[in-house]
Amino acid sequence: MARIIDSNEKNLIGSNLKILRKQKKMSQQELSDKLETLAIYICRGSISRIEDKSRTVTDIELYGLSKVLGVSIDSLFEYPIE
């Protein structure tokens, strides 16, 4: 039986994360730095991999991303964000 992480896309939020980050005029490094203030450590390279869906995202990372971007966790999953 195939597991979800066996697919090419390892998360559902990558595209929306990139859109929301750019709407906030925030670089990947700035997002990483703001997450660090919440004791959530995602390096710039990992944010890039989340955005291109080649990295999974943990529940605490989802929480931090939603807080830093000022959106609900649900909105990270909405399709499509414009």
Side-chain angles (χ1 to χ4, degrees):
M1 177 188 302
R3 296 179 353 187
I4 192 166
I5 59 172
D6 291 336
S7 71
N8 290 335
E9 294 185 354
K10 300 199 190 275
N11 71 64
L12 300 172
I13 69 158
S15 301
N16 288 345
L17 175 61
K18 186 173 187 175
I19 291 166
L20 288 166
R21 178 181 59 76
K22 287 185 172 193
Q23 284 177 351
K24 302 286 182 182
K25 298 182 182 356
M26 194 180 302
S27 70
Q28 291 174 340
Q29 186 60 55
E30 289 169 326
L31 178 55
S32 174
D33 293 344
K34 288 181 186 234
L35 287 165
E36 191 171 335
T37 66
L38 299 174
I40 299 170
Y41 302 99
I42 308 175
C43 69
R44 190 220 50 86
S46 289
I47 290 173
S48 176
R49 289 189 295 282
I50 291 170
E51 289 181 352
D52 72 15
K53 300 182 181 181
S54 64
R55 180 188 181 281
T56 58
V57 184
T58 66
D59 53 354
I60 192 67
E61 290 170 342
L62 281 172
Y63 171 81
L65 290 166
S66 72
K67 289 299 177 193
V68 168
L69 294 170
V71 298
S72 69
I73 290 173
D74 288 346
S75 69
L76 291 170
F77 290 94
E78 289 175 4
Y79 183 81
I81 287 182
E82 308 266 336

